[in-house]
C-alpha cells in the first residue's frame, strides 16, 4: 500500500491537475483516477477494521442525503460512497476519491437531517478541495500512507487496537489543520445552502459535539473507558469562533433565499432503533461486570476498578492505577487448568486447582503476579494481575482472587442483559423531565446526562410536551 502510494506520487510529481474548488493548477496533485484507486484501496482497509453498520434502511437514508449534497458540490460527477460504520466512536471522515464515512456514534448525537447534511457536507468539502492529496508532500505521503480527512478523530492512544491509526501504519492521525477545516466548513455551508438546508446546522453540530466532548470525559471516567472525543480542531466553543460564523454567514448570503428543510422527524425516524454505545459483539460492561454473549461468559470486576473493554483485550485497573488485571483468551489450551497455570507462571509456583462455579479452574498467587485460569467450552480464560510494585499487588490480592472466583457461564437472565442498548424515539408528555425519563435506565447514573446530550438539551434543558425525543433502552 505504502509502496503503491509512493510510486503513484513519484509518477505524478511532474504532472499537474486542476483543483476543482479554486480552478487553479495544483502541482502535487494526482489525477482523479489515481485518487480514486487510492480511495478504493483504503476503503477496503477501513471496512476490515470497522464493521459496516447492519441496518440497510439507515445506510440508504444516509446515502440519499449524502448524494443530494454531493450533486451540488464542486465535483458533482465523482462517484460518492457514504457508509455508516458500526462503532460508538464519534467520528466522520473522508478518503480521497469520494469515500465518506460516518459512525453510528456520531449519529446518536444529531437531531435533524440538516445536521446530518452538515457533517456530510463538511466531509464532501474535504473531498472536493482534495485536502487528502493536497496537504502532503510526497515524502510525507510515503511516510504515513495517506491522510484521512476527519473532523472528529478519536484520541489515539496506546491501548486502543482497532482504530484508524492501524490503517495508516500506526502514524498519528490528526485533523487537517485549522485552515483546511475551516475551508471544509465553508464549502459544506455552501453545499447545504444549494441543497436547501440551513448552513447554520454546521455551527449547531459543532456545538452539540463540543458539549459531548466536554461531558464525555467525565462519563468515560465513571464507566471505565476511553473518552469518545473528537480531535482538538475546535479548541474554542463554536459560539466564539468568529471565522466559522463568517464562513457560514457568507454561504447564507450568497445562496438563493428559499425555505430551509430541517428534517427532524425524518432523521429521528431513520435512527429510531439504532444501537447506542457498545455493540454486544465485543462484550458489554455493566456495573463492572463483563458479559460476552458469543463466548457465553461473565466476570465481575472489583467495584471501584475501571474496566476497559478494548478491541483486543479486557483490562481492569485499580483506583489509583497501581495494579491491573488483564483477561486473555486461549482458543486451544493444553492440559488441565493447573498444568496450564504452571506453564504460565513457572513450575515452582503455588498453584491451586479448584472448581469455579462449576468450571475447572486454577488459581496462582506469587509475589509478582496473581490470578487464575478458567476453562470453559474448550477455551482457557486467563485472568492475570500485575502491580507496579509487589506491595501494590499485595493490597489487591483478595480483589483479584474474587474476580477469578466470579467467573461463570452466562445465565439466560444475563443473556438478556447482554443485548445492546438502542435509541427509541418517543413523544414527550406533559411533566416529562430528563430526570424522570432516566429512572431505571440501563445507562445508570449517567443516564440523565446522556439523554440531554443526545437530545441537544445539555446541560439543563427539558423536553417539551408533544416534542419527539430520544430515549435509550
Ligand atoms: Zn474536517
Amino acid at each position: 500500500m505504502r509502496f503503491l502510494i509512493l510510486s503513484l506520487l513519484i509518477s505524478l510529481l511532474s504532472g499537474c491537475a486542476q483543483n476543482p474548488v479554486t480552478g487553479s493548477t495544483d502541482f502535487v496533485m494526482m489525477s482523479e483516477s489515481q485518487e480514486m484507486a487510492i480511495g478504493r484501496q483504503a476503503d477496503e482497509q477501513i471496512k476490515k477494521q470497522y464493521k459496516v453498520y447492519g441496518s440497510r434502511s439507515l445506510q440508504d437514508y444516509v446515502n440519499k442525503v449524502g448524494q443530494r449534497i454531493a450533486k451540488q458540490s464542486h465535483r458533482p460527477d465523482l462517484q460518492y460512497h457514504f457508509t455508516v460504520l458500526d462503532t460508538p466512536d464519534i467520528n466522520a471522515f473522508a478518503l480521497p476519491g469520494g469515500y465518506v464515512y460516518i459512525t453510528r456514534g456520531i449519529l446518536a448525537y444529531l437531531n435533524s437531517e440538516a445536521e446530518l447534511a452538515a457533517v456530510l457536507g463538511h466531509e464532501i468539502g474535504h473531498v472536493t478541495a482534495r485536502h487528502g492529496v493536497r496537504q502532503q508532500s510526497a515524502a510525507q505521503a510515503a511516510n504515513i500512507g495517506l491522510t484521512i480527512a476527519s473532523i472528529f478523530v478519536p484520541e489515539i492512544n496506546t491501548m486502543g487496537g482497532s482504530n484508524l491509526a492501524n490503517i495508516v501504519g500506526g502514524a498519528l492521525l490528526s485533523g487537517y489543520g485549522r485552515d483546511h477545516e475551516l475551508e471544509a466548513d465553508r464549502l459544506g455551508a455552501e453545499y447545504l445552502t444549494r441543497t436547501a438546508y440551513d448552513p447554520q446546522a454546521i455551527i449547531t453540530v459543532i456545538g452539540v459535539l463540543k458539549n459531548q466532548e466536554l461531558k464525555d470525559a467525565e462519563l468515560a471516567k465513571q464507566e471505565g473507558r476511553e473518552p469518545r472525543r473528537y480531535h482538538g480542531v475546535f479548541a474554542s466553543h463554536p459560539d466564539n469562533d468568529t471565522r466559522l460564523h463568517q464562513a457560514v454567514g457568507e454561504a447564507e448570503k450568497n445562496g438563493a433565499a428559499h425555505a430551509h428543510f430541517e428534517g427532524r422527524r425524518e432523521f429521528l425516524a431513520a435512527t429510531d432503533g439504532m444501537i447506542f454505545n457498545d455493540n454486544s459483539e465485543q462484550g458489554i460492561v455493566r456495573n463492572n461486570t463483563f458479559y460476552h454473549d458469543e463466548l457465553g461468559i461473565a466476570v465481575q470486576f472489583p467495584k471501584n476498578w475501571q474496566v476497559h473493554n478494548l478491541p483486543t483485550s479486557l483490562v481492569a485497573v485499580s483506583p489509583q492505577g497501581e495494579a491491573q488485571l488483564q483477561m486473555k483468551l486461549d482458543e486451544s489450551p493444553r492440559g488441565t487448568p493447573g498444568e496450564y497455570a504452571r506453564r504460565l507462571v513457572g513450575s515452582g509456583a503455588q498453584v491451586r486447582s479448584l472448581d469455579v462455579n462449576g468450571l475447572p479452574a486454577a488459581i496462582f498467587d506469587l509475589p509478582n503476579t496473581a490470578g487464575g485460569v478458567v476453562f470453559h467450552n474448550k477455551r482457557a480464560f486467563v485472568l492475570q494481575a500485575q502491580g507496579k510494585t509487589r506491595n501494590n499487588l499485595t493490597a489487591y490480592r483478595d480483589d483479584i482472587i474474587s474476580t477469578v472466583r466470579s467467573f461463570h457461564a452466562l445465565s439466560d437472565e444475563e443473556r438478556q442483559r447482554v443485548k445492546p442498548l438502542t435509541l427509541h424515539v418517543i413523544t414527550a408528555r406533559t411533566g416529562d423531565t430528563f430526570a424522570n425519563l432516566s429512572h431505571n435506565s440501563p445507562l445508570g447514573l449517567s443516564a440523565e446526562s446522556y439523554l440531554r446530550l443526545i437530545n441537544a438539551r445539555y446541560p439543563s434543558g427539558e423536553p417539551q410536551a408533544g416534542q419527539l425525543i430520544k430515549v435509550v433502552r
Side-chain angles (χ1 to χ4, degrees), residues 122-123 126 150-151 181 184:
H122 173 100
E123 295 306 327
H126 279 307
S150 173
I151 24 174
E181 291 306 326

Side-chain angles (χ1 to χ4, degrees), residues 25-258:
T25 303
D26 203 336
F27 188 68
V28 292
M29 283 203 316
M30 58 185 80
S31 77
E32 191 166 293
S33 63
Q34 285 162 326
E35 184 189 336
M36 282 163 70
I38 285 179
R40 233 185 344 262
Q41 278 217 337
D43 176 65
E44 274 172 36
Q45 296 203 17
I46 299 274
K47 286 173 179 165
K48 272 184 210 150
Q49 294 277 327
Y50 277 121
K51 254 181 59 198
V52 173
Y53 187 61
S55 160
R56 192 64 256 166
S57 61
L58 183 60
Q59 297 284 356
D60 288 346
Y61 175 70
V62 169
N63 185 55
K64 186 188 76 183
V65 174
Q67 298 295 351
R68 203 184 291 152
I69 305 159
K71 283 272 170 301
Q72 301 300 325
S73 77
H74 288 95
R75 297 175 83 181
D77 299 327
L78 196 65
Q79 204 189 336
Y80 288 85
H81 307 263
F82 298 90
T83 307
V84 180
L85 298 176
D86 189 1
T87 165
D89 287 356
I90 308 287
N91 212 344
F93 55 92
L95 295 175
Y99 292 84
V100 177
Y101 308 85
I102 185 165
T103 63
R104 66 169 169 77
I106 210 172
L107 288 175
Y109 291 87
L110 307 183
N111 278 284
S112 71
E113 189 171 301
E115 291 176 20
L116 168 63
V119 175
L120 299 178
H122 173 100
E123 295 306 327
I124 292 168
H126 279 307
V127 174
T128 57
R130 296 182 119 180
H131 289 155
V133 191
R134 214 166 88 192
Q135 196 186 33
Q136 49 203 328
S137 68
Q140 279 174 317
N143 243 337
I144 68 159
L146 71 141
T147 306
I148 294 168
S150 173
I151 24 174
F152 311 115
V153 180
E155 197 81 343
I156 306 296
N157 66 70
T158 49
M159 291 181 100
S162 83
N163 53 37
L164 291 171
N166 292 348
I167 296 163
V168 289
L172 183 78
L173 277 167
S174 58
Y176 261 142
R178 194 67 197 101
D179 286 347
H180 280 178
E181 291 306 326
L182 200 64
E183 184 176 29
D185 283 333
R186 186 179 60 73
L187 290 169
E190 192 178 330
Y191 305 155
L192 290 193
T193 309
R194 291 190 205 159
T195 324
Y197 292 110
D198 187 350
Q200 292 291 337
I202 288 184
I203 296 172
T204 309
V205 163
I206 297 170
V208 164
L209 296 172
K210 190 75 196 169
N211 284 340
Q212 185 279 331
E213 179 199 55
L214 294 173
K215 183 64 193 175
D216 199 62
E218 221 173 281
L219 294 177
K221 216 170 179 184
Q222 285 168 16
E223 294 165 21
R225 58 171 171 81
E226 295 305 312
R228 298 178 185 120
R229 66 168 79 109
Y230 53 88
H231 190 258
V233 169
F234 306 104
S236 60
H237 200 276
D239 290 351
N240 311 319
D241 191 333
T242 40
R243 288 173 76 198
L244 175 65
H245 282 265
Q246 268 165 11
V248 170
E250 222 173 277
E252 226 167 11
K253 207 167 61 214
N254 297 338
H258 41 198

Side-chain angles (χ1 to χ4, degrees), residues 235-389:
S236 60
H237 200 276
D239 290 351
N240 311 319
D241 191 333
T242 40
R243 288 173 76 198
L244 175 65
H245 282 265
Q246 268 165 11
V248 170
E250 222 173 277
E252 226 167 11
K253 207 167 61 214
N254 297 338
H258 41 198
H260 289 138
F261 181 66
E262 193 194 8
R264 180 174 161 80
R265 183 171 289 277
E266 288 78 359
F267 178 83
L268 292 178
T271 51
D272 197 2
M274 188 177 71
I275 292 175
F276 185 68
N277 285 356
D278 295 341
N279 195 338
S280 55
E281 279 167 29
Q282 293 106 45
I284 279 181
V285 179
R286 296 275 152 76
N287 297 322
N288 267 24
T289 300
F290 175 75
Y291 303 94
H292 200 293
D293 190 15
E294 205 186 308
L295 297 172
I297 59 145
V299 57
Q300 164 89 59
F301 288 93
K303 279 274 172 282
N304 45 356
W305 287 41
Q306 292 194 15
V307 184
H308 303 269
N309 184 16
L310 305 170
T312 49
S313 64
L314 181 69
V315 184
V317 182
S318 69
Q320 264 73 50
E322 326 92 316
Q324 69 169 43
L325 178 57
Q326 191 171 8
M327 184 162 85
K328 288 180 190 157
L329 170 69
D330 186 341
E331 291 281 359
S332 45
R334 285 182 296 121
T336 64
E339 288 160 0
Y340 194 99
R342 271 188 204 94
R343 274 201 306 276
L344 188 72
V345 293
S347 54
Q350 275 281 358
V351 171
R352 189 156 50 96
S353 293
L354 75 168
D355 177 286
V356 165
N357 303 308
L359 303 170
I363 282 174
F364 52 86
D365 197 348
L366 286 81
N368 61 341
T369 184
V373 181
V374 186
F375 280 17
H376 175 52
N377 259 347
K378 296 180 182 155
R379 295 182 173 104
F381 294 86
V382 180
L383 283 142
Q384 188 169 10
Q386 236 102 39
K388 274 190 180 157
T389 69

